[in-house]
Amino acid sequence: MSSRKSNKRTRRRRRRRRFNPAVIASIVLLTVLLVIAAAFAACTVEEISVEGNVHLSSEEVSEYVRNLSFGQNGLAAAILYGDHTPEQGALDFAESLSVKQTSAHSITVHVNEKELTGCFFLDGVYWYFDADGIARASSEEPESYFLENSAVFLTEGLGAAEAKSGMPVQVSDPDVFRILDSIHLFAETCEVRPDKVVIDEAGAFYLVYGKAQAAIGDGTSLMLRLDKLADMLSELSDLEGTLHLETYDGSQTRFVFDKSEKVT
C-alpha cells in the first residue's frame, strides 16, 4: 500500500517538473524577434552605390530607394526590393531595379534601364520610344539624358499624333521605327550618335552630325548605306553640307557632297 502511495507522489512530482510547451515556444519566438529587431536596427543605410544606370543619375536612383518603405534599412531593402518594378511616373527610364546589401550600412542598387531607341518632342514633352515604337518614358528636360555613352537620338519629322506611356506611338507608318532602330544600332556600333535624325515630308531620312548631314533615303538598302556612312563619318566632322547616299547600292565609288545644301 505504501509503495503505491509512493509511486503516486513520484508521478505528481514529475508532472510538476514538466515545462509548458507554449511557454517555451513563446520564449524562443521572443528571442528570435529580438535578434531580428537588433539586426534590423543595426542596418541603417549610410551609403548607396548605383550601377547599370545610363539615363538615370545615381542621385535620382538613391533618392528613390531612400524614399521607399524601409528603404533606409539595408537588410529590409534587400529583402523587400530584391526585384522591384518602379510605379509608373517614378524613375521612368527604369524597367526594374534590385537592391543588395553589401555591408551593415551600405547597399548596391542595380538598375535595368528600358531599351530606348530615340526620342521626339510633342506638346512640350520629350517622349522616348523603343525599337517597337512603344513610348517608354517622358521628360520635360532632355539635356541630362543625352549622355556621351547613349545612342538615343532626337528624331524630327516623325509626325506623331499622340503618345502615352506604355502604348504604341501613333504615326502614319509604323515601319519607321524599324528604320530608326537600325540607325540606333548603327550609332551604338560606331559609338558616334547623330545629333538628330530628320525625316522629311517624302519619308527620306537624314542623319545630322554638327553642320553636316547624310541623306540615306527612305529605308531601302538601309544597312548597305549605313555601312558606307560608317566608313565616311570621320570625314564629315569638319564639313558643312549634305552627303548624298540615298542612291547608293554598293556599286558606286564616288559620292556627291553638296556644300550648298545645309543641315535640314
Side-chain angles (χ1 to χ4, degrees), residues 115-128:
E115 290 290 335
L116 304 174
T117 294
C119 83
F120 62 94
F121 188 74
L122 179 66
D123 297 333
V125 176
Y126 288 88
W127 286 93
Y128 299 78

Side-chain angles (χ1 to χ4, degrees), residues 5 36 69 80 124 136 138 160 170 178 195 202 225 233 251:
K5 290 181 179 179
I36 293 175
S69 298
L80 295 174
R136 290 299 183 187
S138 61
Q170 299 300 309
R178 174 190 62 81
D195 296 330
R225 294 168 187 173
L233 271 179
S251 62

Side-chain angles (χ1 to χ4, degrees), residues 114-208:
K114 297 173 181 176
E115 290 290 335
L116 304 174
T117 294
C119 83
F120 62 94
F121 188 74
L122 179 66
D123 297 333
V125 176
Y126 288 88
W127 286 93
Y128 299 78
F129 56 86
D130 64 13
D132 298 317
I134 307 297
R136 290 299 183 187
S138 61
S139 170
E140 293 183 358
E141 298 180 2
E143 291 82 8
S144 61
Y145 301 110
F146 286 114
L147 307 180
E148 291 182 1
N149 56 343
S150 170
V152 175
F153 49 78
L154 178 66
T155 303
E156 294 182 357
L158 188 60
E162 185 181 16
K164 292 182 180 179
S165 184
M167 301 294 291
V169 179
Q170 299 300 309
V171 295
S172 58
D173 182 13
D175 190 55
V176 69
F177 293 109
R178 174 190 62 81
I179 299 172
L180 290 172
D181 185 52
S182 295
I183 296 173
H184 169 74
L185 295 175
F186 162 75
E188 282 189 327
T189 302
C190 294
E191 297 183 348
V192 180
R193 184 194 69 227
D195 296 330
K196 63 180 178 179
V197 174
V198 179
I199 309 170
D200 69 12
E201 294 181 356
F205 288 75
Y206 296 81
L207 278 63
V208 178

Side-chain angles (χ1 to χ4, degrees), residues 42-43 73-76 78 99-108:
C43 292
N73 186 284
L75 182 58
V99 179
K100 180 180 179 181
Q101 187 179 28
T102 50
S103 72
H105 300 291
S106 63
I107 59 175
T108 295

